[in-house]
Amino acid sequence: MVAFNLDPIHQQRLDELARSQGQDGATLARQVLMDYLDFQALPNDSEEVWAEASVAMTPEFMDQEDWGET
């Protein structure tokens, strides 16, 4: 469990942003922190390695279509 206090201006910004997304401030802050920690855990691979991995994963997320028929 992590707890932190924001100064009033940042707390107000967080609350406004959270409300605009239908969430409360604590939920949004938790998600932002988790996303940040996940991002920091990514390996520092080269752009070429990321590109190769992206190409390899493409069939998992896109339908096989004949793009030449468009």
Side-chain angles (χ1 to χ4, degrees):
M1 173 85 147
V2 174
F4 54 92
N5 293 314
L6 298 175
D7 61 72
I9 292 172
H10 286 105
Q11 182 67 48
Q12 182 180 0
R13 284 183 177 164
L14 176 65
D15 290 340
E16 289 170 2
L17 181 59
R19 272 195 308 275
S20 74
Q21 297 182 10
Q23 300 180 22
D24 63 26
T27 301
L28 180 59
R30 184 179 311 111
Q31 186 61 50
V32 168
L33 181 57
M34 288 176 15
D35 289 348
Y36 173 79
L37 293 173
D38 288 345
F39 180 75
Q40 292 300 311
L42 292 174
N44 292 323
D45 293 330
S46 69
E47 291 179 10
E48 292 82 18
V49 171
W50 280 102
E52 290 174 11
S54 296
V55 169
M57 290 177 53
T58 299
E60 298 287 326
F61 299 100
M62 297 181 72
D63 293 332
Q64 301 259 338
E65 301 177 357
D66 184 0
W67 289 64
E69 292 182 7
T70 57

